[in-house]
Amino acid sequence: MGVVGVGSGPARVREQFLRGGTVEGAVRSPILSSWQRSQELGLSPDACDLPYRPDIDLEGRLVSAARPVLDRLEARFAGMNMNVALADGHGAVLQRRFGSPAMARQLAAIQSVPGFVFAEQFAGTNGIGLALAERQLINVYGAEHFAERAQTNACSAIPVRDPLSGRIEGILCFGYPLADAEADAELNLLIRRAAGAIERRLLKQSSARERALLQAYLDARQRRAPAGGTGADGQPAGLGARGLDRRDETILKEQAAGLISAAQRAAVDVWLPGGRQVTLLSHPVTSPSGVEGVAIEAVFAPGQRLAVPVDAKAPGGPAQQPGAPTDRPPRSPDVVTGRPVTTARTPGTTGDATGREPGGLIMVGEPEVGRYAVAARRRLELLSEASTRIGTTLDVAGTARELAEMAVPRLADYVTIDLSPTVLRGEEPSDPRTGLHRTVVHGFRADCPFYPAGERVELRSTTPQLRALADGQPVLEPELSSAAGWIAQNPEHARSILDHGVHSLVAVPLLARGIALGVASFYRSRDPAPYGDDDRSLALELATRAAICIDNARRYTREHAMVLALQRSLLPHSFPEQNAVEVAHRYMPAASGVGGDWFDVIPLSSARVALVVGDVVGHGLHAAATMGRLRTAARNFAELDLAPDELLTHLDNLVGRLDRDEGFEDASAGGTGIIGATCLYAIYDPTSQQCVMARAGHPPPALVAPDGSVTFPDLPAGPPLGLGGLPFETAAFHLPEGSQLVLYTDGLVADRRRDLDTALDQLGRVLARPNRAPEDTCDAVCHSVVPLHPTDDIALLVARTHALPPGRIATWELPADPSRVRDIRAAVTRRLSEWGLDEVVHATQLLLSELVTNAIRYGSGPIQVRLLHDRTLTCEVADTSSTAPHLRRAATTDEGGRGLFLVAQLAQTWGTRYTAEGKVIWAECALDATSGRSDAAESYLHDIPAI
């Protein structure tokens, strides 16, 4: 399917979405999320059948509060094509009002009759359903509706909340023609005001219990207030002139809730931001009907001022159960105690004996309600903090420790976490009941009386931990002293734990995606109250969140190990034997993932060697696999004896093809594709001690002279591989024997915690030491330059150069004259005898005869013959022609065509290398196997019939 552009209309975007196309960025996020949910529910755009509920309460609390507001809206929209709907908290429409009465007769029943449910699971994307799902003001325009029948309409919808509990009581929705959508700003303001008016009317419907308790407090304060202590309206004088902002109110309300839960007379000093001090006074209040509560008043130091009055909170209705959930979003300051409250202002007094001035009522509530409120708020705070503090790393043991540190001391005094050993290795979890590994022991004091971390834990099936794993549910042991199964595990150890004051336990299985990873145990010692059901629920919630993070870390560990194994398998484990350079290398994966760094040492013809270091952009399996392909390609291109700039050009073309052929498909499937790579390629010739190199967006190498001086050569950077069309440049440097060439990837010097120039200076200082072995250089660099926790892979290659002695090099110049072939054969024979290679004289004479004859016959210009005595004997014949020889097998009737075939039989390997002056045909003979090759060639010559 195609991708919809940013400029596409909503109807086209919706059509593309329904066909399965990609529309991210072309439609608002809430709308797209609702579309996706609607599809997952199996809804059909042209057949969204809405359920009808005849049992809705058309005269309930919400309708009663909203009726005057709806009347005003109906009058406001008189004569307009507007539709005002009020739905309950389940999306069932309770009231319909129309600006024009004729609209009700023209619309279908589902749009005009109360009782139809517009929740998202039935109607798809629409104003009422989306406002319920998003819990905020929502606008939906035309084609953004999921149902076909709503395509010509627009709507604005907003939740109506109970101001006391914060629970969504209903939805207020404005519907209007799509052509009138320009009035959005005005309508949004109007619907906010209307919803606020309904919420204020809901507040006035507080129960008699709530009002009675608050009124008892107000009456008592009014009787004690002296003349002039209140305003004309009976409210506290000067309260609006005090200086509390929302943050100050929140601090005071939190302290007040704690005082209410304590149910004691108290005076507590509270310090507000800015060094201001407020004293909270608590005293009991009893309503005429016998409702007992606690009132919290604020007393301010002289001169402090309030900007806004503080809400007074009054309880009402049945007591809230411990841990009962609330629909109030955490960001709302309206509910502190978790109980219904009533806003009020309190008569003030002229001051007290200390000169402090009364500020007014902060909160009124019942002690039990206050206790539940404080506990509920702390639980919410703990869960909220856990969502940010657990799972900050992708380390299994580290994530488990974060869970323990999160629980101590607010939920537990000691925490132990036991995981399956396979989880710690990143493998698929096995049955943890067959063996657990003590991963974390953490407590409020260091001498935790538990099995230490790092040991294997064998638990009996009667222990709470294994029962929790077997049932998949948390197990609560409120009194450990009577927990027979726990004590039976190790009676002596159990007595030691009880002696430390530990008395209660909650064991929770760590379940992720239905698989048990291990078990977490929460112990209590300092709080004399045993764990209860609320604590068990909280422990389960914490453990569930942590288990997902632990499983994510396990999966990452497994993938990291697989990618690292692939990466190491693709890197060279050893290098071919050669005499040009002495090498040492290091590879260090990143702390957070494996990348695509690689290095290689490739022997070339004529005793030369190629050094290559590269870095594929990105991390993970894709980068490692791409690295392997590029390394293989680089070796293959090196076999062609290409110059550094030509080789990088071929790699650049390859990366471009990979990006075009595979990158688009990967990106459309959610993958990363191939972005590019950097590379540095160098060729060192021990006969001339010249190093020719080129780089493609890669850091320059470091050259360490024999005396220890360090330089970073000014090597043309070149573009990274994959950009295409841009040239690469080479540079040549003379490296005296004993010099070190240090190649590395950018992970060594590029780190966000330090400057690049600083890192290069540090690298230069570490390398500035003469006559150091490459292995020692690698160790020094790793110890002093590598970051403690590298964010990127690091590949390091150190090569100390050697020179081929001049006495092992023989060179002759001769004109293109066939008569000179005999002379060169004689000269070669003498030189080989000097080198003690008499056993290869015959084979070398045959090789050179064929190569020189071909150069004279098919080449041009002066001819140069060179012999190199290294690990092998290399024979070179150079001429000024660029014509490449071609190997073929001649038929028995052919008069020629057997020369290169003979060369291939005599030589271990042979090839052609192009130079700026022409070409070089070279052949290498193994010094320990040449005689066998020579005999095979002689046999081949004897088998050729005479022409």
Side-chain angles (χ1 to χ4, degrees):
M1 292 296 180
V3 178
V4 175
V6 176
S8 303
R12 182 180 174 188
V13 173
R14 177 177 176 274
E15 179 183 358
Q16 186 73 13
F17 171 80
L18 294 176
R19 294 204 310 265
T22 301
V23 297
E24 283 79 2
V27 63
R28 292 182 292 142
S29 177
I31 300 298
L32 178 58
S33 298
S34 181
W35 285 356
Q36 293 170 340
R37 291 193 297 266
S38 301
Q39 272 195 339
E40 292 171 358
L41 291 169
L43 300 180
S44 174
D46 53 0
C48 289
D49 296 328
L50 305 185
Y52 177 75
R53 289 179 50 194
D55 58 338
I56 58 174
D57 188 0
L58 297 179
E59 297 297 331
R61 177 169 173 260
L62 177 61
V63 175
S64 175
R67 184 176 287 114
V69 179
L70 296 178
D71 291 342
R72 291 196 297 270
L73 289 174
E74 186 176 7
R76 171 74 178 269
F77 294 138
M80 301 174 60
N81 196 12
M82 291 290 292
N83 174 6
V84 180
L86 177 70
D88 64 15
H90 302 287
V93 175
L94 303 175
Q95 285 269 317
R96 288 277 190 183
R97 301 295 181 91
F98 299 95
S100 174
M103 289 182 60
R105 297 189 296 270
Q106 299 171 358
L107 295 175
I110 62 171
Q111 296 176 297
S112 59
V113 177
F116 286 96
V117 181
F118 283 80
E120 191 181 64
Q121 62 265 36
F122 305 115
T125 308
N126 71 95
I128 294 175
L130 195 54
L132 280 172
E134 295 290 332
R135 307 178 70 85
Q136 62 181 338
L137 174 63
I138 286 294
N139 296 294
V140 184
Y141 308 106
E144 291 182 339
H145 289 86
F146 191 76
E148 295 282 356
R149 59 173 172 263
Q151 299 296 293
T152 59
N153 299 326
C155 61
S156 300
I158 190 172
V160 177
R161 287 184 166 86
D162 185 332
L164 305 178
S165 66
R167 184 176 60 252
I168 294 179
E169 294 289 329
I171 300 294
L172 181 64
C173 181
F174 292 172
Y176 48 94
L178 182 60
D180 297 336
E182 291 78 5
D184 276 348
E186 182 179 351
L187 284 178
N188 286 345
L189 179 60
L190 180 60
I191 199 171
R192 287 183 187 276
R193 291 177 176 175
I198 298 174
E199 290 174 351
R200 288 191 295 273
R201 291 184 59 81
L202 285 172
L203 185 62
K204 293 179 181 179
Q205 297 178 359
S206 302
S207 66
R209 179 188 181 95
E210 298 164 355
R211 295 195 302 271
L213 186 60
L214 179 59
Q215 190 61 47
Y217 167 78
L218 295 176
D219 291 344
R221 293 291 287 147
Q222 187 69 30
R223 288 192 297 270
R224 296 196 303 269
T230 63
D233 58 355
Q235 301 303 322
L239 183 62
R242 303 290 183 183
L244 284 186
D245 58 20
R246 179 169 293 232
R247 180 175 54 174
D248 299 330
E249 291 183 35
T250 301
I251 295 173
L252 293 177
K253 290 174 182 178
E254 289 179 352
Q255 294 291 333
L259 290 174
I260 290 176
S261 67
Q264 297 177 353
R265 290 183 178 272
V268 177
D269 289 334
V270 179
W271 289 93
L272 301 177
R276 296 168 297 160
Q277 183 182 9
V278 177
T279 300
L280 296 183
L281 303 177
S282 66
H283 55 83
V285 178
T286 304
S287 72
S289 61
V291 178
E292 296 182 354
V294 177
I296 308 299
E297 294 178 315
V299 178
F300 297 88
Q304 294 189 3
R305 303 181 65 80
L306 285 165
V308 293
V310 184
D311 289 344
K313 310 299 181 180
Q320 179 177 328
Q321 295 301 315
T326 174
D327 290 335
R328 190 70 171 181
R331 64 178 181 273
S332 174
D334 293 338
V335 176
V336 176
T337 64
R339 293 291 299 154
V341 297
T342 301
T343 301
R345 293 183 178 180
T346 298
T349 64
T350 58
D352 60 13
T354 64
R356 290 177 175 266
E357 300 179 4
L361 177 67
I362 298 296
M363 188 178 296
V364 174
E366 296 174 275
E368 288 302 316
V369 174
R371 293 189 186 100
Y372 296 152
V374 171
R377 186 182 70 245
R378 289 174 178 171
R379 289 186 176 96
L380 290 174
E381 291 173 350
L382 179 61
L383 292 176
S384 176
E385 189 175 348
S387 64
T388 60
R389 288 183 53 187
I390 298 178
T392 60
T393 67
L394 290 173
D395 178 72
V396 173
T399 304
R401 172 160 289 278
E402 289 173 343
L403 167 61
E405 293 174 348
M406 190 73 247
V408 176
R410 285 183 283 182
L411 174 61
D413 297 310
Y414 298 100
V415 175
T416 65
I417 299 177
D418 305 321
L419 297 176
S420 171
T422 57
V423 173
L424 294 171
R425 295 193 298 267
E427 302 172 4
E428 290 293 334
S430 58
D431 186 357
R433 293 174 296 179
T434 61
L436 291 169
H437 181 86
R438 177 58 52 88
T439 306
V440 174
V441 177
H442 182 65
F444 76 98
R445 50 189 290 181
D447 57 337
C448 299
F450 300 100
Y451 296 132
E455 292 186 359
R456 183 178 178 85
V457 180
E458 296 291 346
L459 299 176
R460 293 188 177 185
S461 59
T462 57
T463 59
Q465 289 81 2
L466 284 195
R467 285 161 49 203
L469 287 172
D471 299 337
Q473 297 294 329
V475 174
L476 171 64
E477 290 287 359
E479 296 294 338
L480 282 177
S481 59
S482 59
W486 176 78
I487 295 175
Q489 170 68 25
N490 188 330
E492 183 178 351
H493 186 63
R495 282 194 298 271
S496 174
I497 294 176
L498 294 173
D499 290 343
H500 277 77
V502 179
H503 61 83
S504 194
L505 162 68
V506 177
V508 185
L510 296 173
L511 301 176
R513 303 173 180 92
I515 300 175
L517 308 175
V519 62
S521 302
F522 302 88
Y523 296 89
R524 175 173 287 177
S525 65
R526 291 180 294 177
D527 189 343
Y531 280 130
D533 291 334
D534 291 345
D535 302 302
R536 178 173 58 182
S537 300
L538 179 59
L540 176 61
E541 181 70 21
L542 274 178
T544 300
R545 298 187 182 195
I548 296 298
C549 296
I550 291 174
D551 191 55
N552 290 339
R554 178 195 66 80
R555 291 168 178 260
Y556 171 80
T557 301
R558 179 184 62 180
E559 179 180 344
H560 184 270
M562 292 173 56
V563 175
L564 183 59
L566 173 63
Q567 171 85 340
R568 294 192 182 280
S569 68
L570 295 175
L571 290 174
H573 299 283
S574 61
F575 297 121
E577 295 182 352
Q578 44 79 35
N579 293 335
V581 293
E582 177 188 353
V583 295
H585 59 86
R586 296 289 188 274
Y587 170 73
M588 290 148 283
S592 59
V594 179
D597 293 14
W598 91 92
F599 56 89
D600 212 343
V601 177
I602 308 170
L604 300 179
S605 61
S606 304
R608 298 173 306 138
V609 66
L611 306 172
V612 58
V613 171
D615 183 4
V616 175
V617 176
H619 293 84
L621 185 63
H622 185 269
T626 304
M627 176 275 294
R629 300 170 75 174
L630 292 185
R631 176 175 174 252
T632 301
R635 292 189 69 91
N636 291 336
F637 291 144
E639 290 291 330
L640 301 178
D641 262 329
L642 299 176
D645 57 337
E646 296 179 47
L647 184 137
L648 292 181
T649 300
H650 283 283
L651 285 179
D652 180 55
N653 295 333
L654 173 63
V655 173
R657 287 195 301 272
L658 292 176
D659 207 5
R660 290 191 300 271
D661 298 342
E662 301 177 7
F664 178 77
E665 296 178 5
D666 289 346
S668 62
T672 59
I674 299 172
I675 301 176
T678 65
C679 185
L680 172 63
Y681 186 81
I683 297 177
Y684 173 69
D685 188 347
T687 64
S688 62
Q689 302 178 37
Q690 288 288 319
C691 184
V692 181
M693 62 183 75
R695 62 186 178 120
H698 203 82
L703 300 181
V704 185
D707 61 359
S709 60
V710 180
T711 59
F712 292 90
D714 187 14
L715 180 64
L721 301 176
L723 295 184
L726 299 176
F728 300 97
E729 299 181 45
T730 61
F733 304 92
H734 180 75
L735 300 182
E737 185 172 12
S739 301
Q740 286 194 356
L741 180 62
V742 182
L743 285 68
Y744 53 90
T745 55
D746 60 357
L748 181 65
V749 295
D751 188 86
R752 59 176 175 267
R753 293 181 291 270
R754 60 179 176 179
D755 182 70
L756 177 61
D757 292 336
T758 302
L760 289 174
D761 291 342
Q762 184 181 9
L763 176 61
R765 290 193 299 270
V766 172
L767 295 176
R769 181 175 175 181
N771 300 321
R772 184 161 56 184
E775 284 289 344
D776 296 337
T777 300
C778 285
D779 291 339
V781 171
C782 293
H783 181 267
S784 303
V785 184
V786 173
L788 182 61
H789 300 288
T791 58
D792 195 7
D793 285 19
I794 298 174
L796 176 65
L797 182 64
V798 178
R800 183 165 62 180
T801 63
H802 297 290
L804 189 62
R808 287 177 170 249
I809 304 173
T811 305
W812 298 274
E813 300 280 347
L814 67 156
D817 183 358
S819 63
R820 299 296 300 274
V821 176
R822 180 179 302 173
D823 298 337
I824 198 66
R825 288 166 62 101
V828 167
T829 300
R830 288 192 298 271
R831 182 53 60 93
L832 292 178
S833 297
E834 295 174 4
W835 289 344
L837 301 178
D838 295 316
E839 68 278 6
V840 300
V841 169
H842 184 56
T844 306
Q845 288 178 341
L846 291 174
L847 276 173
L848 288 177
S849 295
E850 293 298 333
L851 294 179
V852 172
T853 301
N854 279 340
I856 294 173
R857 179 178 299 179
Y858 304 109
S860 61
I863 298 172
Q864 184 185 73
V865 177
R866 189 169 71 155
L867 292 182
L868 304 177
H869 181 198
D870 194 34
R871 289 181 177 270
T872 61
L873 180 66
T874 302
C875 305
E876 293 182 350
V877 176
D879 59 52
T880 58
S881 171
S882 60
T883 303
H886 178 66
L887 176 64
R888 68 184 183 88
R889 186 179 183 91
T892 56
T893 57
D894 291 340
E895 295 185 6
R898 298 175 178 83
L900 288 179
F901 188 82
L902 178 61
V903 170
Q905 292 294 315
L906 291 171
Q908 178 176 267
T909 182
W910 72 282
T912 304
R913 181 173 71 251
Y914 292 94
T915 64
E917 296 79 18
K919 69 174 183 299
V920 176
I921 302 178
W922 54 269
E924 291 184 1
C925 297
L927 299 180
D928 56 350
T930 307
S931 59
R933 285 276 191 170
S934 177
D935 293 343
E938 289 286 356
S939 175
Y940 170 74
L941 291 174
H942 288 310
D943 291 341
I944 299 176
I947 302 298

